[in-house]
Amino acid sequence: MKKNTKDGEKMLLTDISSAIAREMGVKLFQVEATIKLLDDSNTVPFIARYRKEATGELDEEQIRTVQERLSYLRNLVKRQEEILSTIEEQGKLTPELAAAITACTKLQDLEDLYLPYRPKKRTRAQIAKEKGLQPLADIIMAQQLQTGSPAEAATPFINPEKEIATPEEALAGAADIIAETISERADIRALLRRHLWSSAEISTEFAVDESQAKEVLNYKEYHEPVNRMPSHRILAVNRGETKNLLKVHLTTAHDDNIDRIAREFITGSSIFSELIRAAIADGYKRLLFPALEREVRNQLTENAEKQAIRVFGLNLRQLLLQQPLAGHTVMGLDPGYRTGCKMAVVGPTGTVLETSTLYLTMSETQKQKAADTVLTAIQKHGITLVAIGNGTASYETEEFTAQLINAHNLPVHYVITNEAGASVYSASKLAKDELPDLDVSIRGAVSIARRVQDPLAELVKIDPKSIGVGQYQHDVNQKELTGTLTSVVESAVNHVGVELNTASPALLQYVAGINAAVAKNIVAFRDANGSFKNRKQLLKVPRLGPAAYTQCAGFLRLQASDNPLDNTPVHPESYALAQNLLEKLGYTVDSLSSKDQLKSIQQQAQQADVTKLAAEAGAGEPTVRDILAALVKPGRDPREDLPAPLTRKNVVKLSDIKPGTIVRGTVHNVIDFGVFVDIGIKINGLIHRSELASKPFRHPLDIVSVGDILDVLVISVDEERGRIGLSLKQVPKQ
């Protein structure tokens, strides 16, 4: 491998690009262009949206895959160089070993090759080598002696000065060398690793008395093949082990494994056959199997965590992209028993208009007083929607709201809102800065109301891990989880776009090219100078230079700009092209401000020959296509295409739910074993994966997503345990 030369680096980059292109099934130029753009500090959302010609229209997920694999392979190359250098310094680097190391494409294979040369504590084998017993180990492994005894062969190695008093001690030392040498062989580790992955099982037993193990009762004397164990069970077993409730083992046929290794080394009928087998057995039990057991368990956990993080990310994205119920004056209700139900009325732009505390579960007098307060607020502020948190006392609050709506025939609907994270937000510094005059308990009601008006703008203020749409999120690698969820939020924010004149710092910091400090500077500039008039003004914001402007400008919208293109996803670098395209269609930029002309532009754009327009303008077809789509609907919110949240007027009780009933609900969470659906009562129903679809599928996310509105069939109700079983596949097709 060439090192420290420009030619070597160039060759290396090509090798990495080729490897990634093969893995992903895309063209080499796409990967090379993406790597160059990433190395030039371009963000993933920017590359996906505004550099489609360069990348051959790779989507955001593909670009992130390139980014991840690039990091992995560059680390691999760095590790290869470190290992080559270390072994070379030891004077043990052969051309064959160097070739094997440079041919590795996986870190695991690389570390297997390095294992015999890795500096380590003094082992039994190293002590035996220091006593001069390596030649005896070589004689034994050569297996050429057919007569005599092992003791006779070991006699010349007796050396009292080196604490070898008998032939047996010499043989024991040589066996230690053989045990370690075989257990560190890369090919043997690979052989046994494959076998364990194909045939071993995870088994568990209680580590405590059964009365203390209620949390893990499902795992009493449990066993399952490692190659079929789903991620949620791996994480559940790990949690039981971490809590000292379970003992977990990797079970396999140890004698068969020892025989499998022995067949690779024992040849003919040498006098050393039994000794070699005993050394192999010792190395297997003492060194090889414990290491591979840890490795398999770690790999199972890593795979399970990746799956859990992936599912969490997909659920979070769907939650963030739920359609906003814009234009409503919303009453947010944060239910509670002893401390009362907190009420906050929020105007269409998120302004807090009124707050109060209602006591709905105490005396009839207090309940009537609460009804009067709510009724007055509805009439005074023109409230059209009530958002009720789904926590403690949610059912009683819903019942109160439904009765009030029906008793007074109010033109109001209510929606049950997932309040996960509201209390976290309420106590945060951000909430104190935004709502300094409100009590911490009231801030939760404000958050509940605002997350109905614009889920994305409100939920970005909360740590994604607190939003409650994952599984085992506290058991997985927190650094990887945080990184993935941050990318998901960033992707969602840039997909939707952000109104520059109303966005909070919490929202702005997720826009491509903008960090937390620059987000605060944008808001400070806006406060000091008034609303932004156009995107170009961003260049006056401290620490927002040309590079950051290039990354962020296309994702920031200005509804009241003096340039209508500022309210579209068209990037400023393409304004001239957009003007050119409008002129070819017979319009000007100002035409975008006219509703009548917009309809005509829409018709013309849909009928336009994109290939011809791109050729005439000297531009790429993807960019022309995107510009035409943006010109058709300035200010369009892509969330408009998604189903609106399900609103209600009447309360549903658990006792009303009977098997055989078809109910409508909203998907609340999607996990490996099924889907939780909010059907308008205190507890969510579960559609087990076996009841999702008649056709085969890999994961419930292939069938439904968070926020989907479904008609489902009730198949079981367990009031005592508070469980409702639902079916999607049994609902009659209309």
Side-chain angles (χ1 to χ4, degrees):
M1 175 179 286
K2 297 180 183 178
K3 293 186 289 181
N4 303 322
T5 68
K6 288 187 177 179
D7 288 344
E9 289 169 8
K10 185 177 179 183
M11 178 196 73
L12 204 54
L13 177 61
T14 305
D15 289 345
I16 288 175
S17 302
S18 301
I20 295 172
R22 281 194 303 274
E23 285 177 20
M24 295 178 60
V26 298
K27 294 185 171 112
L28 180 60
F29 87 86
Q30 294 176 288
V31 175
E32 289 180 332
T34 302
I35 290 174
K36 185 176 187 311
L37 287 163
L38 289 167
D39 285 345
D40 289 341
S41 301
N42 290 286
T43 62
V44 173
F46 175 80
I47 296 169
R49 179 80 67 88
Y50 298 114
R51 292 296 180 262
K52 290 182 177 179
E53 282 84 4
T55 67
E57 297 192 79
L58 291 184
D59 62 31
E60 198 170 317
E61 189 175 339
Q62 289 172 309
I63 293 166
R64 290 195 191 278
T65 300
V66 171
Q67 189 178 42
E68 289 167 12
R69 293 301 295 152
L70 178 65
S71 175
Y72 178 90
L73 292 173
R74 281 180 171 169
N75 285 336
L76 176 75
V77 170
K78 183 180 177 184
R79 185 67 179 140
Q80 283 173 326
E81 292 174 345
E82 290 170 355
I83 288 172
L84 285 167
S85 176
T86 301
I87 299 176
E88 195 168 26
E89 287 170 7
Q90 294 175 7
K92 298 176 182 177
L93 186 64
T94 64
E96 295 76 17
L97 180 57
I101 289 170
T102 54
C104 282
T105 57
K106 293 180 180 177
L107 278 167
Q108 182 64 69
D109 296 342
L110 185 61
E111 296 300 336
D112 279 354
L113 288 170
Y114 180 48
L115 185 59
Y117 309 95
R118 182 196 297 276
K120 53 175 83 81
K121 294 177 183 177
R122 285 182 80 231
T123 63
R124 282 162 47 174
Q126 284 176 315
I127 293 169
K129 288 176 183 177
E130 290 167 7
K131 292 179 178 180
L133 293 174
Q134 180 68 60
L136 177 57
D138 294 338
I139 290 170
I140 293 170
M141 289 307 294
Q143 301 179 69
Q144 291 177 350
L145 290 176
Q146 307 293 320
T147 59
S149 69
E152 291 172 1
T155 299
F157 293 91
I158 294 174
N159 186 341
E161 290 181 8
K162 293 188 177 181
E163 299 179 349
I164 306 173
T166 65
E168 287 71 27
E169 288 180 359
L171 290 171
D176 287 340
I177 295 172
I178 293 167
E180 183 175 277
T181 301
I182 290 176
S183 69
E184 290 185 347
R185 281 268 298 261
D187 55 341
I188 295 303
R189 295 176 81 86
L191 172 74
L192 193 56
R193 184 182 292 121
R194 285 194 301 271
H195 178 69
L196 291 175
W197 278 107
S198 66
S199 64
E201 292 186 336
I202 290 292
S203 63
T204 63
E205 58 180 307
F206 289 156
V208 294
D209 186 81
E210 188 168 329
S211 61
Q212 299 174 283
K214 291 179 181 178
E215 189 180 330
V216 290
L217 277 179
N218 290 347
Y219 296 98
K220 179 183 180 181
E221 298 177 4
Y222 156 87
H223 59 91
E224 186 169 10
V226 295
N227 59 2
R228 292 210 300 269
M229 199 170 175
S231 62
H232 64 276
R233 281 207 284 275
I234 294 165
L235 295 174
V237 164
N238 287 355
R239 179 184 286 181
E241 185 178 37
T242 302
K243 290 185 173 183
N244 297 316
L245 300 175
L246 291 176
K247 291 180 182 178
V248 184
H249 311 282
L250 183 72
T251 56
T252 181
H254 295 301
D255 288 343
D256 290 349
N257 293 340
I258 292 166
D259 288 342
R260 187 171 281 103
I261 298 169
R263 285 196 293 270
E264 298 292 318
F265 293 97
I266 298 175
T267 58
S269 55
S270 161
I271 61 172
F272 299 114
S273 296
E274 286 304 313
L275 191 148
I276 293 172
R277 180 182 169 79
I280 289 171
D282 171 56
Y284 170 85
K285 293 172 184 174
R286 183 167 52 87
L287 303 169
L288 183 54
F289 179 74
L292 289 182
E293 180 178 30
R294 284 192 301 273
E295 184 187 305
V296 169
R297 291 284 314 276
N298 288 341
Q299 189 63 55
L300 279 174
T301 299
E302 186 180 322
N303 293 344
E305 288 184 349
K306 281 182 180 175
Q307 169 69 356
I309 291 170
R310 173 182 167 274
V311 170
F312 197 151
L314 291 169
N315 285 340
L316 176 62
R317 181 178 176 83
Q318 291 303 123
L319 186 66
L320 293 173
L321 293 179
Q322 282 187 106
Q323 187 182 126
L325 292 175
H328 288 275
T329 296
V330 179
M331 176 182 286
L333 297 178
D334 187 358
Y337 287 117
R338 185 178 55 81
T339 57
C341 172
K342 310 305 177 184
M343 179 194 91
V345 179
V346 176
T349 60
T351 307
V352 180
L353 305 176
E354 182 182 337
T355 65
S356 184
T357 300
L358 313 172
Y359 294 93
L360 312 179
T361 60
M362 305 292 188
S363 67
E364 283 301 316
T365 303
Q366 287 179 311
K367 194 171 180 182
Q368 184 57 50
K369 185 179 177 182
D372 293 341
T373 302
V374 171
L375 196 58
T376 301
I378 288 173
Q379 292 166 345
K380 177 181 176 182
H381 301 292
I383 294 166
T384 50
L385 186 65
V386 178
I388 303 170
N390 66 341
T392 304
S394 176
Y395 174 76
E396 290 81 357
T397 307
E398 181 186 4
E399 192 173 41
F400 166 84
T401 305
Q403 287 173 353
L404 195 69
I405 290 171
N406 291 323
H408 297 276
N409 197 25
L410 298 173
V412 177
H413 285 73
Y414 70 83
V415 59
I416 304 297
T417 306
N418 179 11
E419 65 177 46
S423 58
V424 175
Y425 163 75
S426 301
S428 68
K429 183 180 182 302
L430 177 60
K432 291 174 189 173
D433 292 342
E434 285 188 333
L435 306 166
D437 301 327
L438 295 183
D439 182 76
V440 64
S441 60
I442 294 291
R443 291 176 196 151
V446 175
S447 178
I448 288 168
R450 285 178 174 174
R451 67 175 63 185
V452 172
Q453 293 175 320
D454 191 339
L456 180 60
E458 194 62 24
L459 290 173
V460 294
K461 300 173 184 176
I462 301 166
D463 179 351
K465 287 178 282 189
S466 300
I467 291 177
V469 288
Q471 59 176 349
Y472 296 101
Q473 56 259 41
H474 301 295
D475 299 307
V476 303
N477 184 303
Q478 295 300 295
K479 184 179 177 183
E480 285 191 24
L481 177 63
T482 299
T484 297
L485 298 185
T486 300
S487 295
V488 168
V489 178
E490 178 189 65
S491 173
V493 169
N494 289 288
H495 173 70
V496 172
V498 172
E499 170 53 48
L500 182 55
N501 279 329
T502 58
S504 66
L507 187 58
L508 285 167
Q509 70 180 345
Y510 286 106
V511 174
I514 296 177
N515 58 28
V518 174
K520 288 179 181 176
N521 290 349
I522 290 173
V523 174
F525 182 89
R526 193 173 69 199
D527 292 342
N529 299 281
S531 298
F532 284 89
K533 302 294 188 296
N534 53 57
R535 281 170 169 167
K536 280 185 181 176
Q537 274 187 285
L538 282 163
L539 289 166
K540 296 180 181 178
V541 174
R543 295 179 62 185
L544 200 160
Y549 176 76
T550 299
Q551 297 298 309
C552 72
F555 301 107
L556 294 169
R557 309 281 187 269
L558 275 170
Q559 194 172 355
S561 172
D562 48 26
N563 183 345
L565 290 175
D566 284 350
N567 197 31
T568 72
V570 177
H571 197 281
E573 67 186 9
S574 297
Y575 278 7
L577 174 58
Q579 273 181 286
N580 185 331
L581 293 172
L582 278 167
E583 287 168 9
K584 288 184 182 299
L585 297 176
Y587 300 94
T588 65
V589 170
D590 291 334
S591 304
L592 297 174
S593 302
S594 165
K595 287 186 179 179
D596 293 334
Q597 288 186 306
L598 262 178
K599 289 181 181 177
S600 301
I601 293 173
Q602 185 173 4
Q603 291 172 348
Q604 293 261 28
Q606 287 172 343
Q607 296 167 5
D609 185 335
V610 174
T611 304
K612 183 181 176 186
L613 282 174
E616 290 174 354
E621 283 188 38
T623 298
V624 170
R625 197 184 309 121
D626 286 351
I627 289 174
L628 289 175
L631 295 177
V632 165
K633 278 186 122 179
R636 176 183 176 275
D637 189 331
R639 294 174 293 177
E640 293 170 8
D641 299 336
L642 300 169
L646 192 61
T647 59
R648 306 177 188 278
K649 275 199 163 187
N650 296 301
V651 70
V652 180
K653 301 176 185 175
L654 180 57
S655 56
D656 296 335
I657 305 295
K658 305 293 182 189
T661 308
I662 292 178
V663 294
R664 174 161 286 195
T666 305
V667 174
H668 175 76
N669 198 6
V670 184
I671 53 179
D672 290 350
F673 60 80
V675 177
F676 287 101
V677 182
D678 173 8
I679 58 172
I681 61 174
K682 189 173 182 178
I683 55 173
N684 289 332
L686 172 67
I687 310 175
H688 189 268
R689 60 178 296 141
S690 61
E691 289 294 332
L692 269 174
S694 300
K695 64 181 182 181
F697 60 91
R698 292 173 64 89
H699 193 276
L701 280 166
D702 298 336
I703 308 297
V704 297
S705 299
V706 168
D708 284 356
I709 294 172
L710 307 174
D711 288 325
V712 290
L713 179 73
V714 179
I715 56 175
S716 65
V717 178
D718 185 340
E719 284 196 54
E720 188 178 330
R721 299 173 73 189
R723 293 184 178 181
I724 301 170
L726 305 173
S727 174
L728 182 61
K729 74 178 185 182
Q730 294 185 46
V731 175
K733 298 291 184 287
Q734 295 182 352

